[in-house]
Each structure stands twice: as structure tokens, then as C-alpha cells.
């Protein structure tokens, strides 16, 4: 009877101890599973974040490439236009100083009208004014118009880089700036001479 009780006690303790060990193992296995699940979740989150970052970088690269392509396409056209405008400004400034066909025609036309409208009995001062002075002023007006256009064109070329997107507008070549400044200078000189001629400060008509 006593032996059996001891064996039963031993069996009971052994079974109980075994049950505790199994419980501990199960708990440990669950903890391991939880760690694995958490690690998988973290890895999945990191992978998603990396993919999202890669997509954003690809979009940025595509946008940058598009901007560079647009800038490369717009660059030569902008340079050609600015160069042409600078040459036109310099040419118009030179014309305002040397005279033009349009100015000659305007002067001759005004002189002809003066001769037709002036009576033969008019005074000498009136004949000088209507036949010569008015035609001279017409020539000065045409020269001043050429000089003003040259001045505005040169200033527009020099001021062009200050407007628009700097990344899309290329830097001006030195020769464009030089020619544009020449147009501005010739325009200023031509405009000044035109004003002086029109106001009779320079080469005034004779008085009687």
C-alpha cells in the first residue's frame, strides 16, 4: 500500500513536472512565433518603404530628365533669337546715324509739299521754313524712330536673362552681349542727334 502510494506520488509529480515543461515549451514556441511574425512584419514594412522611396526617386529622375531635355531644346532657339535681336539693334542704330532710304524719301516728299504750298510772294523766311526746315525735321524724325527702336531692342536683349526660368534660359554668349551693347550705344547717340537736329540746336537753318 505504501509503495503504491509513493509510486503514484512519483508518477503524479513526474506527470505534473512534464506538464509544466510542455507548457513552458509551448509558451516558448509561441514567443518564438511572435518574434518571427514581428520580424516578418518589420521586414515587410521596410520593403514597402524602400519600394515607395525608389518610386519617388524614379519620378524625380524622370522630372529632372524632362527639364533637362526641355532646357536643351529651348537653349539653341533662345540663343538664336537673342543673337538676331542684338544684330538688328546694332544695325538700326547704325542706320539712325548714317541715314536711310525712308528718311530720304520723307525729306524729299516734305520738301515737295513745301514748294507746292508756298506762294511765290511769300517771304524768304517762310520759304526756308516750309521748303527746307520742315523736310529737315522729317528726316530727323525718321532717324530718331530708328534710333529708338535700336535702343529698345538692345535693352530687351540685355534684360532677357532676368526674366523666365534661369534653368531653361541659357547664359548669353559674350558676342551677343557685345553686339547688344553696341546697339544700345548707337541708339542713344542716334536719338540724341535726332533731337538736336529737330530742335535746330545742331545744324540749324539760316535765318533772315
Amino acid at each position: 500500500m505504501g509503495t503504491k502510494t509513493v509510486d503514484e506520488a512519483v508518477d503524479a509529480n513526474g506527470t505534473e513536472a512534464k506538464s509544466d515543461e510542455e507548457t513552458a515549451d509551448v509558451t516558448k514556441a509561441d514567443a518564438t512565433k511572435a518574434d518571427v511574425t514581428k520580424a516578418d512584419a518589420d521586414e515587410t514594412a521596410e520593403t514597402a518603404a524602400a519600394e515607395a522611396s525608389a518610386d519617388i526617386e524614379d519620378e524625380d529622375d524622370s522630372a529632372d530628365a524632362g527639364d533637362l531635355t526641355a532646357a536643351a531644346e529651348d537653349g539653341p532657339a533662345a540663343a538664336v533669337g537673342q543673337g538676331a535681336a542684338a544684330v538688328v539693334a546694332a544695325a538700326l542704330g547704325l542706320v539712325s546715324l548714317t541715314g536711310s532710304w525712308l528718311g530720304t524719301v520723307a525729306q524729299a516728299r516734305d520738301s515737295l509739299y513745301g514748294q507746292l504750298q508756298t506762294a511765290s510772294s511769300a517771304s524768304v523766311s517762310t520759304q526756308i521754313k516750309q521748303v527746307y526746315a520742315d523736310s529737315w525735321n522729317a528726316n530727323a524724325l525718321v532717324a530718331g524712330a530708328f534710333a529708338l527702336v535700336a535702343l529698345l531692342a538692345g535693352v530687351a536683349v540685355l534684360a532677357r536673362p532676368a526674366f523666365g526660368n534661369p534653368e531653361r534660359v541659357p547664359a548669353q554668349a559674350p558676342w551677343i552681349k557685345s553686339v547688344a551693347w553696341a546697339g544700345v550705344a548707337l541708339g542713344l547717340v542716334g536719338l540724341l542727334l535726332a533731337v538736336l537736329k529737330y530742335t535746330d540746336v545742331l545744324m540749324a537753318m539760316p535765318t533772315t
Side-chain angles (χ1 to χ4, degrees):
M1 293 291 291
T3 303
K4 187 175 182 181
T5 301
V6 173
D7 293 337
E8 289 177 356
V10 172
D11 293 337
N13 292 332
T15 302
E16 185 177 358
K18 184 176 182 182
S19 299
D20 293 339
E21 292 177 356
E22 291 177 353
T23 303
D25 293 337
V26 170
T27 303
K28 186 176 181 181
D30 292 338
T32 303
K33 280 184 180 180
D35 293 339
V36 172
T37 304
K38 184 178 180 181
D40 292 339
D42 293 339
E43 184 177 357
T44 304
E46 291 176 358
T47 303
E51 291 177 353
S53 178
D55 293 339
I56 293 174
E57 290 179 357
D58 291 340
E59 292 177 358
D60 293 339
D61 292 340
S62 300
D64 293 339
D67 293 339
L68 290 175
T69 302
E73 293 176 355
D74 295 342
V80 170
Q82 294 176 18
V87 172
V88 169
L92 291 176
L94 185 61
V95 168
S96 69
L97 294 177
T98 59
S100 64
W101 172 83
L102 184 60
T104 302
V105 171
Q107 182 176 1
R109 181 175 179 274
D110 200 274
S111 177
L112 179 61
Y113 276 116
Q115 293 176 9
L116 294 176
Q117 294 174 357
T118 303
S120 58
S121 59
S123 62
V124 176
S125 60
T126 300
Q127 293 181 7
I128 291 175
K129 179 181 181 303
Q130 294 184 352
V131 176
Y132 299 102
D134 291 346
S135 62
W136 178 254
N137 290 339
N139 193 333
L141 284 175
V142 174
F146 275 98
L148 182 60
V149 174
L151 178 61
L152 294 177
V155 171
V157 172
L158 294 174
R160 177 63 183 89
F163 298 93
N165 188 354
E167 296 180 356
R168 297 174 67 90
V169 178
Q172 283 185 341
W175 72 268
I176 294 178
K177 292 183 179 180
S178 299
V179 177
W181 276 114
V184 171
L186 292 174
L188 284 174
V189 174
L191 189 60
L192 177 61
L193 291 178
V195 172
L196 294 177
K197 288 188 295 183
Y198 189 83
T199 57
D200 289 338
V201 175
L202 181 65
M203 293 181 288
M205 289 290 155
T207 58
T208 57

